[in-house]
Amino acid sequence: MNIYVLMKKTFDTEEKIQVSGGAIEQDGAEFIINPYDEYAIEEAINIRDEHGGEVTVVTVGDEDSEQQLRTALAMGADKATLINIEDDVEDGDQYTTSTILATYLKDQEVDLILAGNVAIDQASGQVGPRVADQLDIPYITTITGIKIDGDQVNIEKDVEGDVEKVQTSLPLLVTCQQGLNEPRYPSLPGIMKAKKKPLEELELDDLELDEDDVEAKTETTDVFLPPEKEAGKVLEGEIDDQVKELVSLLRTEAKVL
Amino acid sequence: MSTILAFAEARDGELRNVSFETIAAAKQIDEDAQVVGVVLSDQKTEALADEMIHHGADRALVVEHTDLKEYTSDAYTQAAMAVINEEDPAGIVMGHTSAGKDLSPRLASKLDNGLVSDITGIEGSGDETEFVRPIYSGKAFEKKKLTDGVTFVTIRPNNIAPLEKDTSRSGEVSSLNVDIKDLRTVIQEVIRKTSEGVDLSEANIIVAGGRGVKSEEGFEPLYELADELGAAVGASRGACDAGYCDYSLQIGQTGKVVTPDLYIAVGISGAIQHLAGMSNSKVIVAVNKDAEANIFNVADYGIVGDLFDVIPKLTEEIKALKV
């Protein structure tokens, strides 16, 4: 089975966000694999181990993205592709990324594509469904379970807390939700092996795309931080009195009850 | 005059609140536009269409089809594309719900169009409209606009106030027949886990528990409080990882990002990842044994104490209010 994982690098969740010049300050930030993409990588490896085949992790990024691809290879993916757009694209959006990925994937034999359901930075959740639409294959978002039997696929999908059991078939794109699995940490032998695994680097030219083909359809005009929240009132006295005071404050001062 | 489509979302034959918020958003984008409430459902579409008009839609368009009972990407894409082709809209507004998140990127792809997802505010109007949306789970915000094509956005529930309901409003309701075929996914079963509770993303009040709740049973006092308040119950990652509750309840950088009027954090220390998911709530109450807990830095009101003492007392106090 040919399995592809769409991966994005994101800020480490521990990072504090700073803004300078109308953009998020990237310098010095730690990057990780988007946590939802880790579920996708883990699931891809499990499916390959059960059904055979190969896992290729693909990312649209810059030369630093190699680090996260190596981590994915160390987890157990077989191959990686870095589509480096650093020199070609200045302000891409989800249209940009999905067009690049779909163009790349159209030339591959694809049975299953896994992606995170959302990236924790831009959080649009658009790229997976857009890629599936461009490839004209079905997709299921926010999956928490997947069983493959021949061409038939049985999925459990999270719908705002409810579970839908869905049947569909390959080829297919799914986006992964928390609860699907417990992503492994790369082992030391895994890290050693990852250094020798194939990592292909492509640019737009290699996909016969130029900048205009992938020009963003949206524009970011400003980035700003939310107003700093002032520390509030910690109540004092006996617990019974505090509870009474709290309810009274919520009614009269905050007016939320 | 331009047309903006405001997509309703029906669940079990009732419209979700976000449906009305899409109308208000459409009016904010262009107050002169004709706002068309779009209802895709397997039943009661006329009644639902009237409700959209009562909430400010100028007219309504319905597609009624048995394949629209549960949301599936294939069926809803075909129905929505038929509506879009019929109306040739200047704008499209949908809820950023499970279905809206799934459907909107595919429609945008079909239209070869941009999409600004998960907006919480609208500034300016017409071609200059800018959309505010949280990024990095609310640690920052960005303003975006569409560079050309259809003004296509999804709105986060609970952030854009719906217009006043007016049952005397009337408008034309038309119906569109759509041939739905070649469905590639089949929903075999829906297991309801949330039937008793209030949906987290639309809740006005949330009671959330963390590691301090200590066990699955420890969540019971939180559920009792939530019942009294008409609130939804949520959790921190710590509580989910420890197995006290389902991951579907998780609030934070992974998990749901919520903005209720009142957020009551119980036994939650306030890790940065959790704060990202809730710190834009309007009023935050923290209950924690540890006076040094980070959660107190974002809380409007804090009680330092044992949650198993505080929460039942709070529940009683709320009950007393109603008497």
Side-chain angles (χ1 to χ4, degrees), chain A:
Chain A
M1 188 168 340
N2 288 316
I3 307 166
Y4 286 81
V5 179
L6 313 183
M7 191 202 80
K8 184 180 188 185
K9 72 168 160 99
T10 57
F11 268 46
D12 192 314
T13 55
E14 299 279 350
E15 291 284 340
K16 274 214 152 84
I17 303 296
Q18 284 164 353
V19 172
S20 65
I24 300 286
E25 182 61 56
Q26 308 264 342
D27 286 351
E30 288 289 322
F31 284 88
I32 56 171
I33 296 174
N34 174 41
Y36 290 98
D37 300 349
E38 283 189 337
Y39 301 123
I41 296 164
E42 175 69 28
E43 201 63 20
I45 293 166
N46 292 337
I47 292 169
R48 178 206 59 199
D49 289 348
E50 191 182 337
H51 298 275
E54 205 168 55
V55 175
T56 307
V57 180
V58 191
T59 196
V60 174
D62 55 31
E63 60 175 8
D64 294 338
S65 307
E66 184 176 337
Q67 193 189 335
Q68 286 72 36
L69 288 175
R70 290 283 174 208
T71 304
L73 293 171
M75 286 172 74
D78 301 290
K79 298 194 307 189
T81 300
L82 166 59
I83 306 174
N84 188 341
I85 60 166
E86 213 171 356
D87 298 333
D88 296 321
V89 180
E90 198 154 336
D91 295 302
D93 69 356
Q94 295 81 15
Y95 173 82
T96 310
T97 307
S98 54
T99 303
I100 294 168
L101 287 169
T103 306
Y104 165 78
L105 289 162
K106 270 176 193 161
D107 286 336
Q108 321 296 323
E109 295 265 335
V110 173
D111 297 305
L112 179 65
I113 303 170
L114 299 105
N117 93 74
V118 78
I120 59 168
D121 49 11
Q122 292 294 316
S124 81
Q126 291 184 29
V127 170
R130 277 181 180 271
V131 166
D133 184 65
Q134 290 200 44
L135 297 175
D136 200 19
I137 60 172
Y139 65 88
I140 314 263
T141 53
T142 58
I143 70 160
T144 52
I146 179 166
K147 283 270 168 297
I148 300 173
D149 185 8
D151 269 352
Q152 194 182 306
V153 186
N154 286 296
I155 300 247
E156 292 193 357
K157 171 180 163 67
D158 166 48
V159 181
E160 293 169 11
D162 292 333
V163 178
E164 268 181 15
K165 296 198 165 194
V166 187
Q167 197 166 71
T168 185
S169 58
L170 299 176
L172 173 71
L173 183 146
V174 294
T175 73
C176 302
Q177 173 70 307
Q178 190 159 38
L180 176 63
N181 56 41
E182 206 44 66
R184 71 193 70 189
Y185 289 101
S187 65
L188 196 56
I191 294 167
M192 299 309 290
K193 270 193 224 160
K195 291 178 181 164
K196 296 200 181 102
K197 287 183 180 175
L199 191 151
E200 170 189 37
E201 190 171 330
L202 301 174
E203 292 191 16
L204 287 192
D205 270 358
D206 302 310
L207 300 172
E208 286 167 36
L209 287 170
D210 66 46
E211 212 184 306
D212 293 344
D213 299 326
V214 299
E215 191 184 344
K217 306 224 175 244
T218 58
E219 182 189 338
T220 303
T221 55
D222 195 15
V223 175
F224 58 97
L225 297 176
E228 192 90 17
K229 206 154 176 155
E230 284 171 39
K233 201 183 279 181
V234 174
L235 308 182
E236 286 172 359
E238 295 293 319
I239 290 293
D240 289 44
D241 297 333
Q242 288 192 37
V243 167
K244 283 196 173 72
E245 190 186 352
L246 174 65
V247 171
S248 156
L249 286 166
L250 290 176
R251 292 187 70 192
T252 54
E253 191 177 89
K255 298 191 169 63
V256 287
L257 286 186

Side-chain angles (χ1 to χ4, degrees), chain B residues 122-184:
Chain B
I122 300 170
E123 293 182 3
S125 63
D127 288 342
E128 295 304 305
T129 314
E130 293 189 322
F131 301 101
V132 179
R133 60 186 302 274
I135 52 176
Y136 298 85
S137 315
K139 288 178 184 170
F141 287 83
E142 66 178 359
K143 284 186 194 171
K144 292 204 87 162
K145 61 182 186 187
L146 281 296
T147 47
D148 65 3
V150 180
T151 303
F152 193 175
V153 296
T154 61
I155 60 170
R156 178 178 294 194
N158 246 343
N159 281 270
I160 293 165
L163 305 171
E164 198 83 28
K165 183 178 180 178
D166 176 0
T167 51
S168 70
R169 279 181 59 93
S170 62
E172 178 205 341
V173 177
S174 48
S175 164
L176 189 64
N177 281 318
V178 177
D179 188 18
I180 293 177
K181 57 186 186 207
D182 300 330
L183 301 180
R184 299 171 296 184

